[in-house]
């Protein structure tokens, strides 16, 4: 078997929390008097760290903020976001994602998370799948965010596989760049399907079962 594992991004791949990120950043933008924060702006935040995502919002304003003020703004956005996460439970995991992950595990494929989010364990816990994954690499164990491949390289290490034995599934352009930089085989879903360099493009999560292993 050439491929032994799949590393999954979380927000926008396993679950719809990418939408909560959008809503929380949009609310922060509004508070700062930025009324033209769009989904195109939000696409640039996919896969990148909280502080880098904040810069996407602040680029829409002429006002300059100190580092301390930026930390405060990022904390405010995170408090809005975490409040939205409190409503999530096991019913927010789609049947398609659940049954696909179960089938992959039944086939002996290792599964891991490679997410830039520091809230990844909280979300996985709320969805009831924290223990389903063989390894979790997230915003808490990295120093460089996507498009740097660190988060995926760490995930591969955690589950003892080589990048060339691994698929990476991503909804972010920066995530596909990170997968390619790390020597992984990339699978794009959602927004990332715009990336011309992705190895595979899927329109539905269960299509992962058709990949060659
Ligand atoms: C990524 C999202 O998964 O996590 C980004 O795509 C987000 O938009 C990043 O900025 C960091 O998330 P968090 O939860 O640590 O603020
Ligand atoms: Mg994502």
């Amino acid at each position: 078997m050439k491929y032994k594992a799949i590393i999954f991004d979380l927000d926008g791949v396993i679950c719809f929390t990418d939408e909560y990120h959008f809503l929380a950043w949009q609310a922060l933008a509004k508070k700062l008097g930025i009324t033209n924060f769009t989904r195109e702006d939000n696409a640039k935040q996919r896969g990148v760290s909280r502080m880098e995502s904040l810069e996407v919002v602040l680029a829409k304003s002429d006002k300059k903020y100190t580092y301390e003020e930026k930390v405060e703004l990022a904390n405010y956005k995170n408090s809005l976001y975490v409040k939205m996460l409190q409503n999530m439970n096991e019913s927010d995991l789609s049947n398609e994602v659940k049954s696909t992950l179960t089938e992959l595990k039944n086939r002996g494929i290792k599964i891991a998370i490679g997410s830039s989010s520091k809230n990844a364990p909280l979300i996985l816990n709320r969805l009831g799948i924290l223990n389903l994954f063989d390894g979790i690499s997230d915003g808490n164990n990295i120093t460089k965010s996507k498009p740097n491949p660190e988060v995926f390289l760490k995930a591969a290490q955690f589950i003892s596989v080589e990048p060339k034995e691994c698929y990476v599934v991503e909804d972010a352009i920066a995530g596909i760049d990170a997968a390619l930089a790390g020597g992984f085989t990339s699978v794009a879903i959602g927004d990332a399907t715009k990336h011309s360099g992705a190895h595979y493009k899927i329109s539905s999560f269960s299509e992962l079962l058709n990949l060659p292993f």
Side-chain angles (χ1 to χ4, degrees):
M1 204 158 71
K2 182 178 176 203
Y3 290 97
K4 296 182 177 155
I6 306 190
I7 300 172
F8 296 91
D9 173 51
L10 178 65
D11 300 315
V13 170
I14 296 288
C15 56
F16 56 76
T17 41
D18 53 329
E19 185 64 15
Y20 287 168
H21 276 297
F22 169 66
L23 294 173
W25 285 122
Q26 193 184 45
L28 173 73
K30 205 169 163 200
K31 187 177 148 83
L32 299 178
I34 302 162
T35 51
N36 60 345
F37 180 77
T38 62
R39 286 188 184 270
E40 286 68 44
D41 297 318
N42 176 238
K44 295 182 211 143
Q45 297 175 310
R46 284 182 192 272
V48 305
S49 70
R50 193 178 303 166
M51 290 305 275
E52 287 168 276
S53 293
L54 173 65
E55 294 298 339
V56 175
V57 176
L58 299 185
K60 309 215 63 154
S61 158
D62 293 331
K63 200 165 169 237
K64 293 279 163 271
Y65 294 88
T66 63
Y67 177 72
E68 287 70 26
E69 287 170 333
K70 286 181 183 180
V71 169
E72 225 170 88
L73 295 177
N75 286 344
Y76 174 73
K77 178 268 171 178
N78 192 54
S79 69
L80 298 179
Y81 179 63
V82 169
K83 213 174 278 170
M84 294 177 197
L85 299 180
Q86 301 308 328
N87 298 323
M88 287 180 83
N89 58 45
E90 294 184 13
S91 72
D92 288 308
L93 183 70
S94 75
N95 286 333
E96 182 181 8
V97 169
K98 198 175 185 174
S99 61
T100 303
L101 294 176
T102 306
E103 173 61 18
L104 288 168
K105 290 209 82 172
N106 287 343
R107 291 187 192 176
I109 310 292
K110 287 185 183 176
I111 60 172
I113 291 289
S115 164
S116 303
S117 174
K118 292 186 171 161
N119 291 302
L122 168 65
I123 294 167
L124 293 168
N125 199 23
R126 294 212 72 90
L127 295 176
I129 50 172
L130 188 59
N131 295 322
L132 190 69
F133 292 91
D134 300 295
I136 293 172
S137 174
D138 62 30
N140 300 295
N141 66 256
I142 54 168
T143 54
K144 295 169 227 103
S145 146
K146 300 167 190 174
N148 188 288
E150 184 184 10
V151 74
F152 296 138
L153 293 172
K154 288 245 169 92
Q157 258 175 29
F158 292 164
I159 57 172
S160 308
V161 294
E162 295 293 323
K164 61 175 186 308
E165 301 170 316
C166 254
Y167 287 109
V168 162
V169 187
E170 261 293 349
D171 71 317
I173 301 280
I176 296 293
D177 284 334
L180 297 176
F184 296 89
T185 300
S186 57
V187 182
I189 190 166
D191 200 61
T193 56
K194 294 179 194 142
H195 196 305
S196 58
H199 292 93
Y200 294 91
K201 297 182 182 187
I202 58 172
S203 53
S204 187
F205 195 86
S206 56
E207 287 171 42
L208 290 172
L209 298 173
N210 305 329
L211 290 172
F213 284 95

